[in-house]
């Protein structure tokens, strides 16, 4: 019997796939603005090992790991290097593939890129607004954290115990300091896509 650790329940549970004989894994990939570091490599090797073990146990594995190719860090790196954000992303995706191959990591079944799914992202954000989980202020859309009753459940933390501004900037436009950006309004010289809230990009 194969058991895995369940973060929600904090114990080991028997692994029963949704579809018999098949495993679908989604692993958060790198934001491609620089070469990978040891922490990136550790995560990549760890999940590749899990994937290989599933395959060893006879499962057919669909392994998906994304590339975040639209981000503040990418835009800033593009300015530093005097190239476009797209060229920055392409450069460091190529470097990532070279480095993880050198580590013996198998290629993912697919590496989706953010720019390939912009229409889907816009529809998803619009759906969150319609359901009351997000709101728009001056072309920027925020996620309403307190609306989602299970927010923080995996980490066993509640919103009142969290400190605002640790990872994201606190804005005067937020309804709540813990609300975070889903869609950013366009700034001069930045890549942008047309949305119901004006030109912008994912936050």
């Amino acid at each position: 019997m194969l058991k895995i650790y369940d973060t929600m329940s904090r114990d080991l549970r028997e692994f029963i796939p949704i579809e018999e004989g098949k495993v679908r894994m989604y692993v958060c990939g790198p934001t491609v603005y620089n070469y990978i570091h040891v922490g990136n490599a550790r995560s990549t090797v760890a999940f590749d090992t899990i994937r290989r073990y599933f395959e060893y146990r006879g499962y057919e594995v669909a392994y998906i790991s994304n590339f975040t190719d639209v981000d503040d860090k990418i835009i800033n790196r593009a300015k530093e290097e005097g190239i476009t954000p797209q060229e920055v992303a392409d450069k460091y995706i190529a470097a990532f593939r070279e480095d993880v191959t050198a580590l013996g990591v198998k290629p993912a079944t697919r590496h989706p890129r953010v720019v390939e799914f912009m229409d889907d992202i816009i529809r998803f954000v619009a759906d969150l607004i319609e359901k009351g989980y997000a709101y728009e202020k001056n072309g920027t859309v925020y996620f309403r954290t307190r609306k989602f009753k299970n927010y923080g459940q995996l980490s066993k933390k509640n919103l009142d115990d969290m400190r605002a501004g640790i990872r994201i900037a606190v804005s005067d436009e937020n309804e709540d300091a813990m609300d975070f950006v889903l869609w950013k309004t366009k700034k001069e010289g930045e890549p942008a896509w047309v949305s119901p809230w004006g030109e912008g990009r994912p936050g």
Side-chain angles (χ1 to χ4, degrees), residues 65-82:
S65 183
N66 68 297
F67 289 127
T68 298
D69 58 354
V70 179
D71 183 82
D72 289 338
K73 293 177 180 177
I74 294 171
I75 293 168
N76 291 337
R77 180 54 61 102
K79 293 174 182 175
E80 291 172 10
E81 298 191 9

Side-chain angles (χ1 to χ4, degrees), residues 6-175:
D6 184 335
T7 304
M8 186 74 77
S9 63
R10 298 293 199 265
D11 61 12
L12 290 174
R13 295 180 56 186
E14 180 183 358
F15 177 72
I16 302 173
I18 295 171
E19 188 175 353
E20 186 175 354
K22 295 184 179 181
V23 171
R24 293 190 290 271
M25 294 179 64
Y26 187 93
V27 176
C28 187
T31 300
V32 285
Y33 70 97
N34 206 341
Y35 299 105
I36 64 170
H37 50 66
V38 172
N40 302 133
R42 178 198 61 79
S43 172
T44 303
V45 170
F47 283 107
D48 181 62
T49 302
I50 294 169
R51 170 198 191 173
R52 288 171 184 267
Y53 184 71
F54 277 127
E55 292 174 339
Y56 167 74
R57 293 292 295 259
Y59 290 101
E60 177 186 331
V61 180
Y63 184 96
I64 311 300
S65 183
N66 68 297
F67 289 127
T68 298
D69 58 354
V70 179
D71 183 82
D72 289 338
K73 293 177 180 177
I74 294 171
I75 293 168
N76 291 337
R77 180 54 61 102
K79 293 174 182 175
E80 291 172 10
E81 298 191 9
I83 57 179
T84 67
Q86 186 70 43
E87 288 171 324
V88 169
D90 291 343
K91 172 182 175 179
Y92 291 110
I93 286 172
F96 173 86
R97 293 183 190 278
E98 182 179 346
D99 290 341
V100 297
T101 298
L103 291 169
V105 172
K106 294 176 65 174
T109 308
R110 184 149 183 252
H111 278 293
R113 296 173 63 155
V114 171
V115 295
E116 298 171 344
F117 294 91
M118 205 59 67
D119 290 342
D120 298 287
I121 292 168
I122 291 169
R123 281 194 296 269
F124 185 72
V125 172
D127 192 42
L128 288 173
I129 292 174
E130 184 179 341
K131 293 178 178 178
Y133 287 97
Y135 56 95
E136 181 264 339
K137 290 275 188 76
N138 299 321
T140 295
V141 179
Y142 299 89
F143 183 78
R144 189 176 274 125
T145 52
R146 294 188 189 277
K147 173 76 173 178
F148 182 56
K149 65 179 181 179
N150 292 328
Y151 191 85
Q153 191 172 25
L154 282 175
S155 62
K156 304 297 185 188
K157 297 182 184 296
N158 63 59
L159 283 169
D160 293 326
D161 293 335
M162 297 180 187
R163 292 174 58 196
I166 296 299
R167 293 194 62 189
I168 56 174
V170 176
S171 167
D172 292 337
E173 294 185 342
N174 295 25
E175 291 180 356

